[in-house]
Every structure is written in C-alpha cells, then in structure tokens.
Amino acid sequence: MLTRIDHIGIACFDLDKTVEFYRATYGFEVFHSEVNEEQGVREAMLKINDTGDGGASYLQLLEPTREDSTVAKWLAKNGEGVHHIAFGTADVDGVAADVRSKGVRVLYPEPRVGSMGSRITFLHPKDCGGVLTELVTAAKSDEEH
Ligand code: V0V
Ligand code: CO
C-alpha cells in the first residue's frame, strides 16, 4: 500500500544555489544531504512535513555528479524543473510486484539504495502518463508500527 508522497524530485544545475532559494523564499532547511554515486546525483532533502504513517514528505533537490547520469541527460533536454515524484510504502517489493503485474515497467529487478538508506525503485515514465515515478521504503520504516 502506498501511504504518502515521500518526495518530489527537482533537478537543478547548482544545488547550493537551489537550496538557498528554498531557504530564502520559504524557510525550508536542509534535513539531510548526500552523494549517491550509483544514481549520479548530489542531493539535499528538505523535510516539509511528517505524515500519518510515521514517515515524512520531502523535496529532493538533485544535481548531477557526472555527464552520463540520468539527471544530467534530463537537464540537458528539459532544463531545471520537476524530475520525478516518489510514493512511500512500508513494502516496496510488494508494491513493485503488484504494479509490474499490471503491465507497468519497473526499472530495477530488485530495489536499490536511495536517500538516507531507503530502498527505491522506479516506474518507467512512458507507462505512467509521462511521470517518472519512484517507490520508496524508508530505512527505518515506522509505518508498520
Ligand atoms: C526521461 N523521460 C522522462 C524522464 N526521463 N519523462 C518524464 N520524466 C522524466 N524524468 C522520457 C524522455 O523524455 C524520453 O521520451 C523517454 O523517457 C526516454 O528517455 P531518454 O532521455 O532516452 O532516457 P533513458 O531511456 O536513457 O532513461 C529514462 C529513464 C531513466 C526513465 C529510464 O531516467 C531512469 O532510469 N531513471 C531512474 C533513475 C533516476 O532517475 N535517478 C535519479 C534520481 P521521448 O523523448 O522518447 O518521448 S535518484 C533518486 O531519486 C534517489 C537517489 C532517491 O530518491 O533516493
Ligand atoms: Co527520488
């Protein structure tokens, strides 16, 4: 079951500048930042609110770390903007299997490591009305409590 918007992924050319925009304009602070070499991104998570399932909703600001990364390719084509949405679930494996059985392409055979030690997978945007969609199970999921 999907129980929250986990994050909205926003692609940018300059992470520090974009973090400053969100701080100065809205007062959002960086909750967590890291580099994910596998995904080719440097990211900042801005926590917007906690959610009723024990999780939270974030903005995920993404800057590419290398030219052949998916985000660099997307930025070159589209410029800065909303790159993906992510739904949160206590069971990314189960949701991915269910979605796959409905004919939507799940991009990874097994979930990979995402922000803050989460487990993530992606659904192909061409099967989701043009929206790159991510499924996330948080590292320490309070959702089952
Ligand atoms: C590509 N397309 C998109 C899109 N990226 N449509 C909507 N939103 C996006 N973000 C469209 C693109 O316009 C093309 O349509 C078509 O899909 C094929 O795209 P492409 O440019 O040829 O690129 P591909 O096929 O090499 O790669 C596209 C996919 C790739 C979606 C397969 O971006 C991917 O594997 N993404 C998942 C991983 C990812 O995005 N990681 C970065 C975030 P037309 O022109 O043919 O009509 S990492 C993250 O979120 C983390 C770590 C986290 O949350 O913890
Ligand atoms: Co994401």
Side-chain angles (χ1 to χ4, degrees):
M1 190 171 60
L2 300 170
T3 53
R4 65 174 180 277
I5 302 286
D6 187 276
H7 62 269
I8 308 289
I10 297 172
C12 63
F13 292 111
D14 184 332
L15 186 63
D16 297 339
K17 203 171 139 191
T18 305
V19 161
E20 178 52 21
F21 170 79
Y22 279 92
R23 194 198 61 73
T25 309
Y26 310 112
F28 295 144
E29 301 289 346
V30 175
F31 180 79
H32 172 86
S33 62
E34 69 181 72
V35 171
N36 186 321
E37 289 295 354
E38 183 181 35
Q39 294 289 341
V41 294
R42 188 162 82 93
E43 57 158 76
M45 297 294 271
L46 314 184
K47 188 169 171 176
I48 309 302
N49 59 276
D50 292 308
T51 53
D53 58 8
S57 296
Y58 303 87
L59 289 185
Q60 180 176 62
L61 307 180
L62 300 159
E63 178 194 85
T65 56
R66 49 173 203 270
E67 279 179 18
D68 63 348
S69 66
T70 55
V71 172
K73 199 171 158 186
W74 188 88
L75 277 166
K77 189 172 167 186
N78 302 285
E80 296 183 316
V82 175
H83 178 260
H84 65 273
I85 64 166
F87 295 122
T89 171
D91 179 19
V92 64
D93 303 272
V95 174
D98 182 53
V99 167
R100 188 181 278 120
S101 77
K102 293 171 179 164
V104 173
R105 277 169 288 172
V106 177
L107 296 182
Y108 306 145
E110 297 294 333
R112 295 184 182 172
V113 177
S115 187
M116 299 181 279
S118 59
R119 295 176 70 238
I120 64 171
T121 196
F122 289 89
L123 313 181
H124 201 290
K126 291 294 174 190
D127 295 346
C128 301
V131 179
L132 175 60
T133 304
E134 179 182 344
L135 307 175
V136 183
T137 294
K140 205 167 65 177
S141 180
D142 296 326
E143 295 158 6
E144 288 138 316
H145 297 174

Short mmCIF file of all heavy atoms in Angstrom, two decimals, residues 6-20 22 29-47 57-66 69-71 75 83-84 86 108 112-120 122 134 136:
data_model
loop_
_atom_site.label_atom_id
_atom_site.label_comp_id
_atom_site.label_asym_id
_atom_site.label_seq_id
_atom_site.Cartn_x
_atom_site.Cartn_y
_atom_site.Cartn_z
N ASP A 6 6.34 10.60 -0.63
CA ASP A 6 7.61 10.61 0.09
C ASP A 6 8.43 11.84 -0.31
O ASP A 6 8.96 12.55 0.54
CB ASP A 6 8.42 9.35 -0.20
CG ASP A 6 9.66 9.28 0.67
OD1 ASP A 6 10.68 9.89 0.30
OD2 ASP A 6 9.60 8.66 1.74
N HIS A 7 8.54 12.07 -1.62
CA HIS A 7 9.22 13.30 -2.07
C HIS A 7 8.86 13.67 -3.49
O HIS A 7 8.34 12.85 -4.25
CB HIS A 7 10.74 13.21 -1.90
CG HIS A 7 11.42 12.13 -2.70
ND1 HIS A 7 11.65 10.85 -2.23
CD2 HIS A 7 11.98 12.15 -3.95
CE1 HIS A 7 12.30 10.15 -3.14
NE2 HIS A 7 12.51 10.91 -4.21
N ILE A 8 9.15 14.92 -3.80
CA ILE A 8 9.12 15.42 -5.18
C ILE A 8 10.59 15.67 -5.53
O ILE A 8 11.29 16.38 -4.79
CB ILE A 8 8.36 16.77 -5.28
CG1 ILE A 8 6.97 16.69 -4.65
CG2 ILE A 8 8.31 17.23 -6.73
CD1 ILE A 8 5.96 15.88 -5.39
N GLY A 9 11.05 15.08 -6.63
CA GLY A 9 12.44 15.25 -7.05
C GLY A 9 12.55 16.41 -8.03
O GLY A 9 11.85 16.45 -9.05
N ILE A 10 13.42 17.36 -7.72
CA ILE A 10 13.59 18.55 -8.54
C ILE A 10 15.03 18.62 -9.03
O ILE A 10 15.97 18.60 -8.21
CB ILE A 10 13.23 19.81 -7.72
CG1 ILE A 10 11.75 19.74 -7.33
CG2 ILE A 10 13.56 21.09 -8.48
CD1 ILE A 10 11.30 20.79 -6.36
N ALA A 11 15.20 18.63 -10.33
CA ALA A 11 16.55 18.65 -10.91
C ALA A 11 17.05 20.08 -11.06
O ALA A 11 16.30 20.97 -11.49
CB ALA A 11 16.53 17.96 -12.28
N CYS A 12 18.31 20.29 -10.71
CA CYS A 12 18.89 21.64 -10.81
C CYS A 12 20.34 21.55 -11.24
O CYS A 12 20.98 20.51 -11.11
CB CYS A 12 18.76 22.37 -9.48
SG CYS A 12 19.66 21.61 -8.11
N PHE A 13 20.86 22.66 -11.77
CA PHE A 13 22.26 22.71 -12.18
C PHE A 13 23.18 23.00 -11.00
O PHE A 13 24.33 22.56 -10.99
CB PHE A 13 22.46 23.80 -13.25
CG PHE A 13 21.79 23.48 -14.56
CD1 PHE A 13 20.68 24.20 -14.99
CD2 PHE A 13 22.24 22.44 -15.37
CE1 PHE A 13 20.06 23.91 -16.19
CE2 PHE A 13 21.64 22.14 -16.58
CZ PHE A 13 20.53 22.88 -16.99
N ASP A 14 22.69 23.78 -10.03
CA ASP A 14 23.54 24.24 -8.93
C ASP A 14 22.80 23.99 -7.61
O ASP A 14 21.91 24.74 -7.23
CB ASP A 14 23.83 25.74 -9.12
CG ASP A 14 24.79 26.28 -8.07
OD1 ASP A 14 24.82 25.73 -6.94
OD2 ASP A 14 25.49 27.26 -8.37
N LEU A 15 23.18 22.91 -6.92
CA LEU A 15 22.46 22.50 -5.71
C LEU A 15 22.50 23.58 -4.63
O LEU A 15 21.48 23.89 -4.01
CB LEU A 15 23.03 21.19 -5.17
CG LEU A 15 22.28 20.58 -3.99
CD1 LEU A 15 20.85 20.20 -4.36
CD2 LEU A 15 23.02 19.34 -3.47
N ASP A 16 23.67 24.17 -4.40
CA ASP A 16 23.80 25.15 -3.32
C ASP A 16 22.89 26.36 -3.57
O ASP A 16 22.23 26.87 -2.66
CB ASP A 16 25.26 25.61 -3.18
CG ASP A 16 26.16 24.44 -2.79
OD1 ASP A 16 25.65 23.44 -2.26
OD2 ASP A 16 27.38 24.52 -3.04
N LYS A 17 22.86 26.79 -4.82
CA LYS A 17 22.02 27.94 -5.18
C LYS A 17 20.54 27.60 -5.01
O LYS A 17 19.74 28.41 -4.52
CB LYS A 17 22.31 28.29 -6.66
CG LYS A 17 21.98 29.69 -7.05
CD LYS A 17 22.50 29.96 -8.46
CE LYS A 17 21.48 30.77 -9.24
NZ LYS A 17 21.80 30.84 -10.66
N THR A 18 20.17 26.39 -5.36
CA THR A 18 18.76 25.99 -5.27
C THR A 18 18.35 25.81 -3.81
O THR A 18 17.25 26.22 -3.41
CB THR A 18 18.55 24.69 -6.08
OG1 THR A 18 19.02 24.93 -7.40
CG2 THR A 18 17.09 24.30 -6.13
N VAL A 19 19.24 25.24 -3.00
CA VAL A 19 18.98 25.13 -1.56
C VAL A 19 18.75 26.52 -0.98
O VAL A 19 17.82 26.74 -0.18
CB VAL A 19 20.17 24.43 -0.85
CG1 VAL A 19 20.15 24.70 0.66
CG2 VAL A 19 20.14 22.93 -1.11
N GLU A 20 19.56 27.47 -1.40
CA GLU A 20 19.44 28.84 -0.89
C GLU A 20 18.10 29.47 -1.31
O GLU A 20 17.47 30.18 -0.53
CB GLU A 20 20.63 29.68 -1.36
CG GLU A 20 20.60 31.13 -0.94
CD GLU A 20 20.40 31.36 0.58
OE1 GLU A 20 20.67 30.46 1.38
OE2 GLU A 20 19.95 32.47 0.93
N TYR A 22 15.24 27.87 -1.77
CA TYR A 22 14.17 27.30 -0.94
C TYR A 22 14.25 27.79 0.51
O TYR A 22 13.24 27.94 1.18
CB TYR A 22 14.19 25.76 -1.01
CG TYR A 22 13.51 25.28 -2.28
CD1 TYR A 22 14.23 25.05 -3.44
CD2 TYR A 22 12.13 25.11 -2.32
CE1 TYR A 22 13.60 24.66 -4.62
CE2 TYR A 22 11.49 24.73 -3.49
CZ TYR A 22 12.23 24.50 -4.63
OH TYR A 22 11.61 24.12 -5.78
N GLU A 29 14.78 24.24 5.51
CA GLU A 29 16.19 23.95 5.80
C GLU A 29 16.55 22.56 5.28
O GLU A 29 15.67 21.71 5.13
CB GLU A 29 16.45 24.00 7.31
CG GLU A 29 16.13 25.34 7.98
CD GLU A 29 17.11 26.45 7.61
OE1 GLU A 29 18.19 26.14 7.06
OE2 GLU A 29 16.79 27.62 7.88
N VAL A 30 17.84 22.33 5.06
CA VAL A 30 18.29 21.00 4.62
C VAL A 30 18.21 20.03 5.80
O VAL A 30 18.81 20.26 6.84
CB VAL A 30 19.73 21.06 4.07
CG1 VAL A 30 20.23 19.66 3.73
CG2 VAL A 30 19.80 21.97 2.85
N PHE A 31 17.46 18.96 5.61
CA PHE A 31 17.29 17.93 6.64
C PHE A 31 18.42 16.91 6.53
O PHE A 31 18.91 16.38 7.52
CB PHE A 31 15.93 17.26 6.43
CG PHE A 31 15.61 16.16 7.42
CD1 PHE A 31 15.16 16.47 8.69
CD2 PHE A 31 15.75 14.82 7.05
CE1 PHE A 31 14.85 15.46 9.60
CE2 PHE A 31 15.46 13.81 7.95
CZ PHE A 31 15.00 14.14 9.23
N HIS A 32 18.85 16.67 5.28
CA HIS A 32 19.87 15.63 5.02
C HIS A 32 20.46 15.89 3.65
O HIS A 32 19.75 16.33 2.74
CB HIS A 32 19.20 14.25 5.03
CG HIS A 32 20.11 13.14 4.59
ND1 HIS A 32 20.96 12.50 5.46
CD2 HIS A 32 20.32 12.58 3.37
CE1 HIS A 32 21.65 11.59 4.79
NE2 HIS A 32 21.28 11.61 3.53
N SER A 33 21.76 15.64 3.48
CA SER A 33 22.32 15.69 2.12
C SER A 33 23.33 14.57 1.94
O SER A 33 23.93 14.09 2.91
CB SER A 33 22.96 17.05 1.84
OG SER A 33 24.02 17.28 2.73
N GLU A 34 23.48 14.11 0.71
CA GLU A 34 24.41 13.02 0.42
C GLU A 34 24.69 12.95 -1.07
O GLU A 34 23.99 13.57 -1.88
CB GLU A 34 23.84 11.67 0.90
CG GLU A 34 22.64 11.17 0.10
CD GLU A 34 22.10 9.82 0.63
OE1 GLU A 34 21.48 9.83 1.73
OE2 GLU A 34 22.28 8.79 -0.03
N VAL A 35 25.73 12.18 -1.42
CA VAL A 35 26.01 11.87 -2.82
C VAL A 35 25.65 10.41 -3.03
O VAL A 35 26.02 9.56 -2.22
CB VAL A 35 27.50 12.11 -3.15
CG1 VAL A 35 27.84 11.58 -4.54
CG2 VAL A 35 27.84 13.60 -3.04
N ASN A 36 24.88 10.13 -4.10
CA ASN A 36 24.56 8.75 -4.45
C ASN A 36 25.28 8.46 -5.77
O ASN A 36 24.84 8.87 -6.83
CB ASN A 36 23.05 8.58 -4.59
CG ASN A 36 22.63 7.13 -4.83
OD1 ASN A 36 23.30 6.41 -5.56
ND2 ASN A 36 21.52 6.73 -4.24
N GLU A 37 26.43 7.81 -5.67
CA GLU A 37 27.29 7.59 -6.85
C GLU A 37 26.59 6.72 -7.89
O GLU A 37 26.71 6.95 -9.09
CB GLU A 37 28.62 6.95 -6.44
CG GLU A 37 29.56 7.87 -5.68
CD GLU A 37 30.06 9.05 -6.51
OE1 GLU A 37 29.78 9.12 -7.72
OE2 GLU A 37 30.73 9.93 -5.92
N GLU A 38 25.87 5.71 -7.42
CA GLU A 38 25.19 4.80 -8.35
C GLU A 38 24.18 5.57 -9.21
O GLU A 38 24.08 5.36 -10.42
CB GLU A 38 24.48 3.70 -7.57
CG GLU A 38 23.81 2.67 -8.47
CD GLU A 38 23.09 1.57 -7.68
OE1 GLU A 38 22.53 1.85 -6.61
OE2 GLU A 38 23.08 0.44 -8.16
N GLN A 39 23.44 6.49 -8.57
CA GLN A 39 22.43 7.26 -9.31
C GLN A 39 23.04 8.49 -9.98
O GLN A 39 22.36 9.16 -10.78
CB GLN A 39 21.31 7.68 -8.36
CG GLN A 39 20.49 6.53 -7.81
CD GLN A 39 19.60 5.88 -8.87
OE1 GLN A 39 19.30 6.47 -9.90
NE2 GLN A 39 19.18 4.66 -8.62
N GLY A 40 24.27 8.84 -9.65
CA GLY A 40 24.93 10.00 -10.26
C GLY A 40 24.34 11.33 -9.82
O GLY A 40 24.21 12.27 -10.61
N VAL A 41 23.98 11.41 -8.52
CA VAL A 41 23.39 12.66 -8.01
C VAL A 41 24.01 13.09 -6.68
O VAL A 41 24.43 12.27 -5.86
CB VAL A 41 21.86 12.54 -7.81
CG1 VAL A 41 21.15 12.35 -9.13
CG2 VAL A 41 21.48 11.43 -6.83
N ARG A 42 24.04 14.40 -6.51
CA ARG A 42 24.25 15.02 -5.19
C ARG A 42 22.89 15.57 -4.82
O ARG A 42 22.24 16.22 -5.66
CB ARG A 42 25.28 16.15 -5.33
CG ARG A 42 25.74 16.74 -4.02
CD ARG A 42 27.05 17.49 -4.23
NE ARG A 42 26.86 18.85 -4.73
CZ ARG A 42 26.75 19.93 -3.97
NH1 ARG A 42 26.81 19.82 -2.66
NH2 ARG A 42 26.61 21.12 -4.51
N GLU A 43 22.45 15.29 -3.61
CA GLU A 43 21.06 15.65 -3.29
C GLU A 43 20.93 16.29 -1.92
O GLU A 43 21.74 16.05 -1.02
CB GLU A 43 20.18 14.40 -3.35
CG GLU A 43 20.69 13.31 -2.42
CD GLU A 43 19.61 12.32 -2.05
OE1 GLU A 43 19.29 11.48 -2.88
OE2 GLU A 43 19.10 12.38 -0.91
N ALA A 44 19.88 17.09 -1.80
CA ALA A 44 19.51 17.67 -0.50
C ALA A 44 18.05 17.36 -0.27
O ALA A 44 17.21 17.56 -1.16
CB ALA A 44 19.75 19.17 -0.51
N MET A 45 17.75 16.84 0.93
CA MET A 45 16.37 16.55 1.30
C MET A 45 15.88 17.67 2.23
O MET A 45 16.50 17.93 3.27
CB MET A 45 16.27 15.20 2.03
CG MET A 45 16.68 14.00 1.19
SD MET A 45 15.57 13.69 -0.19
CE MET A 45 14.35 12.62 0.58
N LEU A 46 14.79 18.31 1.83
CA LEU A 46 14.18 19.35 2.66
C LEU A 46 12.88 18.77 3.20
O LEU A 46 11.98 18.44 2.41
CB LEU A 46 13.88 20.60 1.82
CG LEU A 46 14.98 21.10 0.88
CD1 LEU A 46 14.54 22.40 0.22
CD2 LEU A 46 16.29 21.32 1.63
N LYS A 47 12.80 18.60 4.51
CA LYS A 47 11.60 17.98 5.08
C LYS A 47 10.47 19.01 5.14
O LYS A 47 10.64 20.10 5.69
CB LYS A 47 11.91 17.46 6.48
CG LYS A 47 10.80 16.63 7.08
CD LYS A 47 11.34 15.94 8.33
CE LYS A 47 10.26 15.27 9.12
NZ LYS A 47 10.81 14.54 10.27
N SER A 57 7.29 13.75 4.31
CA SER A 57 7.34 14.20 2.91
C SER A 57 8.45 15.23 2.76
O SER A 57 8.60 16.10 3.62
CB SER A 57 6.00 14.83 2.50
OG SER A 57 4.97 13.86 2.54
N TYR A 58 9.17 15.11 1.67
CA TYR A 58 10.35 15.95 1.42
C TYR A 58 10.30 16.56 0.02
O TYR A 58 9.63 16.04 -0.88
CB TYR A 58 11.64 15.10 1.47
CG TYR A 58 11.86 14.33 2.74
CD1 TYR A 58 11.32 13.05 2.90
CD2 TYR A 58 12.63 14.86 3.77
CE1 TYR A 58 11.54 12.32 4.07
CE2 TYR A 58 12.86 14.13 4.94
CZ TYR A 58 12.32 12.87 5.08
OH TYR A 58 12.53 12.15 6.24
N LEU A 59 11.10 17.61 -0.16
CA LEU A 59 11.53 17.99 -1.50
C LEU A 59 12.92 17.38 -1.65
O LEU A 59 13.73 17.46 -0.71
CB LEU A 59 11.64 19.51 -1.67
CG LEU A 59 10.37 20.32 -1.71
CD1 LEU A 59 10.72 21.78 -1.99
CD2 LEU A 59 9.41 19.80 -2.77
N GLN A 60 13.22 16.80 -2.78
CA GLN A 60 14.54 16.23 -3.04
C GLN A 60 15.17 17.04 -4.16
O GLN A 60 14.75 16.95 -5.32
CB GLN A 60 14.41 14.75 -3.45
CG GLN A 60 15.73 14.07 -3.74
CD GLN A 60 15.52 12.59 -4.05
OE1 GLN A 60 14.86 12.25 -5.02
NE2 GLN A 60 16.06 11.72 -3.21
N LEU A 61 16.17 17.85 -3.81
CA LEU A 61 16.85 18.66 -4.82
C LEU A 61 18.04 17.87 -5.34
O LEU A 61 18.83 17.33 -4.56
CB LEU A 61 17.31 19.99 -4.19
CG LEU A 61 16.21 20.78 -3.46
CD1 LEU A 61 16.79 22.07 -2.87
CD2 LEU A 61 15.04 21.09 -4.40
N LEU A 62 18.15 17.77 -6.66
CA LEU A 62 19.13 16.88 -7.30
C LEU A 62 20.03 17.62 -8.27
O LEU A 62 19.55 18.32 -9.17
CB LEU A 62 18.39 15.80 -8.11
CG LEU A 62 17.43 14.89 -7.37
CD1 LEU A 62 16.43 14.27 -8.35
CD2 LEU A 62 18.20 13.80 -6.64
N GLU A 63 21.34 17.45 -8.08
CA GLU A 63 22.33 17.99 -9.02
C GLU A 63 23.13 16.82 -9.57
O GLU A 63 23.54 15.96 -8.77
CB GLU A 63 23.26 18.95 -8.26
CG GLU A 63 24.37 19.57 -9.08
CD GLU A 63 25.42 20.21 -8.16
OE1 GLU A 63 26.31 19.48 -7.70
OE2 GLU A 63 25.33 21.42 -7.90
N PRO A 64 23.33 16.73 -10.86
CA PRO A 64 24.09 15.59 -11.38
C PRO A 64 25.57 15.63 -10.99
O PRO A 64 26.14 16.72 -10.86
CB PRO A 64 23.95 15.72 -12.90
CG PRO A 64 23.56 17.13 -13.16
CD PRO A 64 22.86 17.63 -11.93
N THR A 65 26.16 14.46 -10.78
CA THR A 65 27.59 14.39 -10.46
C THR A 65 28.43 14.01 -11.67
O THR A 65 29.64 14.09 -11.63
CB THR A 65 27.87 13.35 -9.35
OG1 THR A 65 27.34 12.09 -9.78
CG2 THR A 65 27.22 13.75 -8.03
N ARG A 66 27.77 13.55 -12.72
CA ARG A 66 28.52 13.19 -13.93
C ARG A 66 27.63 13.35 -15.16
O ARG A 66 26.39 13.29 -15.06
CB ARG A 66 29.08 11.76 -13.84
CG ARG A 66 28.08 10.72 -13.43
CD ARG A 66 28.67 9.31 -13.53
NE ARG A 66 27.59 8.35 -13.65
CZ ARG A 66 26.98 7.76 -12.63
NH1 ARG A 66 27.37 8.00 -11.40
NH2 ARG A 66 25.99 6.92 -12.84
N SER A 69 24.87 10.78 -16.27
CA SER A 69 23.82 10.40 -15.33
C SER A 69 22.44 10.71 -15.90
O SER A 69 22.30 11.55 -16.80
CB SER A 69 24.00 11.14 -14.00
OG SER A 69 23.79 12.52 -14.18
N THR A 70 21.43 10.04 -15.35
CA THR A 70 20.07 10.25 -15.86
C THR A 70 19.63 11.70 -15.66
O THR A 70 18.97 12.27 -16.52
CB THR A 70 19.07 9.31 -15.14
OG1 THR A 70 19.18 9.52 -13.74
CG2 THR A 70 19.32 7.86 -15.46
N VAL A 71 20.01 12.30 -14.54
CA VAL A 71 19.59 13.68 -14.26
C VAL A 71 20.31 14.67 -15.19
O VAL A 71 19.70 15.63 -15.67
CB VAL A 71 19.80 14.03 -12.77
CG1 VAL A 71 19.55 15.51 -12.51
CG2 VAL A 71 18.86 13.21 -11.89
N LEU A 75 18.36 17.15 -17.63
CA LEU A 75 18.57 18.61 -17.56
C LEU A 75 18.96 19.18 -18.92
O LEU A 75 18.51 20.27 -19.30
CB LEU A 75 19.66 18.93 -16.54
CG LEU A 75 19.26 19.01 -15.06
CD1 LEU A 75 20.51 18.99 -14.18
CD2 LEU A 75 18.41 20.24 -14.79
N HIS A 83 11.47 16.57 -11.73
CA HIS A 83 12.04 15.41 -12.42
C HIS A 83 11.26 14.13 -12.14
O HIS A 83 11.07 13.30 -13.02
CB HIS A 83 13.51 15.26 -12.00
CG HIS A 83 14.21 14.08 -12.59
ND1 HIS A 83 14.41 12.90 -11.89
CD2 HIS A 83 14.73 13.89 -13.81
CE1 HIS A 83 15.05 12.05 -12.66
NE2 HIS A 83 15.26 12.61 -13.84
N HIS A 84 10.84 13.94 -10.88
CA HIS A 84 10.06 12.73 -10.55
C HIS A 84 9.23 12.95 -9.29
O HIS A 84 9.47 13.89 -8.54
CB HIS A 84 10.97 11.51 -10.39
CG HIS A 84 11.93 11.57 -9.23
ND1 HIS A 84 13.18 12.15 -9.31
CD2 HIS A 84 11.83 11.10 -7.95
CE1 HIS A 84 13.81 12.03 -8.14
NE2 HIS A 84 13.01 11.40 -7.29
N ALA A 86 7.75 10.62 -5.87
CA ALA A 86 8.01 9.37 -5.15
C ALA A 86 6.92 9.11 -4.13
O ALA A 86 6.61 9.98 -3.31
CB ALA A 86 9.37 9.45 -4.46
N TYR A 108 14.04 -1.64 -12.04
CA TYR A 108 15.06 -2.49 -11.42
C TYR A 108 14.46 -3.83 -11.01
O TYR A 108 13.36 -3.87 -10.44
CB TYR A 108 15.63 -1.82 -10.16
CG TYR A 108 16.16 -0.41 -10.36
CD1 TYR A 108 16.03 0.54 -9.36
CD2 TYR A 108 16.79 -0.02 -11.55
CE1 TYR A 108 16.50 1.83 -9.53
CE2 TYR A 108 17.26 1.27 -11.72
CZ TYR A 108 17.11 2.19 -10.71
OH TYR A 108 17.58 3.47 -10.88
N ARG A 112 17.01 -0.59 -5.19
CA ARG A 112 18.39 -0.14 -4.94
C ARG A 112 18.41 0.81 -3.75
O ARG A 112 17.36 1.15 -3.21
CB ARG A 112 18.94 0.53 -6.19
CG ARG A 112 19.07 -0.45 -7.34
CD ARG A 112 19.70 0.18 -8.57
NE ARG A 112 19.75 -0.79 -9.66
CZ ARG A 112 20.10 -0.50 -10.90
NH1 ARG A 112 20.46 0.73 -11.24
NH2 ARG A 112 20.12 -1.45 -11.84
N VAL A 113 19.62 1.25 -3.41
CA VAL A 113 19.77 2.13 -2.25
C VAL A 113 19.45 3.57 -2.63
O VAL A 113 20.01 4.12 -3.58
CB VAL A 113 21.20 2.05 -1.68
CG1 VAL A 113 21.36 3.04 -0.51
CG2 VAL A 113 21.51 0.64 -1.22
N GLY A 114 18.53 4.19 -1.87
CA GLY A 114 18.17 5.59 -2.08
C GLY A 114 18.56 6.45 -0.89
O GLY A 114 19.32 6.03 -0.01
N SER A 115 17.99 7.62 -0.89
CA SER A 115 18.32 8.63 0.12
C SER A 115 18.14 8.10 1.54
O SER A 115 17.16 7.41 1.84
CB SER A 115 17.40 9.82 -0.12
OG SER A 115 17.77 10.88 0.72
N MET A 116 19.09 8.41 2.41
CA MET A 116 19.02 8.08 3.84
C MET A 116 18.86 6.57 4.06
O MET A 116 18.17 6.13 4.98
CB MET A 116 17.87 8.86 4.52
CG MET A 116 18.05 10.36 4.42
SD MET A 116 16.74 11.31 5.24
CE MET A 116 15.47 11.27 3.99
N GLY A 117 19.46 5.77 3.18
CA GLY A 117 19.43 4.32 3.35
C GLY A 117 18.11 3.67 2.98
O GLY A 117 17.86 2.51 3.31
N SER A 118 17.27 4.42 2.27
CA SER A 118 15.98 3.86 1.84
C SER A 118 16.19 2.82 0.73
O SER A 118 17.28 2.71 0.17
CB SER A 118 15.07 4.98 1.34
OG SER A 118 15.67 5.66 0.27
N ARG A 119 15.13 2.07 0.43
CA ARG A 119 15.15 1.14 -0.71
C ARG A 119 14.18 1.70 -1.74
O ARG A 119 13.02 2.00 -1.44
CB ARG A 119 14.75 -0.27 -0.27
CG ARG A 119 15.76 -0.87 0.69
CD ARG A 119 15.33 -2.23 1.21
NE ARG A 119 15.38 -3.25 0.17
CZ ARG A 119 14.33 -3.98 -0.23
NH1 ARG A 119 13.15 -3.82 0.34
NH2 ARG A 119 14.45 -4.87 -1.19
N ILE A 120 14.69 1.86 -2.99
CA ILE A 120 13.91 2.56 -4.01
C ILE A 120 13.87 1.79 -5.32
O ILE A 120 14.77 1.01 -5.65
CB ILE A 120 14.50 3.97 -4.31
CG1 ILE A 120 15.92 3.89 -4.91
CG2 ILE A 120 14.51 4.82 -3.04
CD1 ILE A 120 16.46 5.23 -5.42
N PHE A 122 12.06 2.50 -9.58
CA PHE A 122 11.40 3.48 -10.45
C PHE A 122 10.49 2.77 -11.45
O PHE A 122 10.76 1.65 -11.88
CB PHE A 122 12.44 4.29 -11.23
CG PHE A 122 13.22 5.26 -10.40
CD1 PHE A 122 14.40 4.86 -9.77
CD2 PHE A 122 12.80 6.56 -10.21
CE1 PHE A 122 15.13 5.75 -8.99
CE2 PHE A 122 13.51 7.46 -9.43
CZ PHE A 122 14.69 7.05 -8.83
N GLU A 134 8.72 7.04 -8.56
CA GLU A 134 9.61 6.26 -7.69
C GLU A 134 8.79 5.68 -6.54
O GLU A 134 7.84 6.30 -6.07
CB GLU A 134 10.69 7.21 -7.15
CG GLU A 134 11.69 6.58 -6.21
CD GLU A 134 12.71 7.61 -5.68
OE1 GLU A 134 12.81 8.73 -6.25
OE2 GLU A 134 13.36 7.32 -4.67
N VAL A 136 9.34 4.13 -2.61
CA VAL A 136 10.35 4.23 -1.55
C VAL A 136 9.89 3.53 -0.28
O VAL A 136 8.76 3.75 0.18
CB VAL A 136 10.57 5.71 -1.13
CG1 VAL A 136 11.68 5.81 -0.07
CG2 VAL A 136 10.87 6.59 -2.31
#
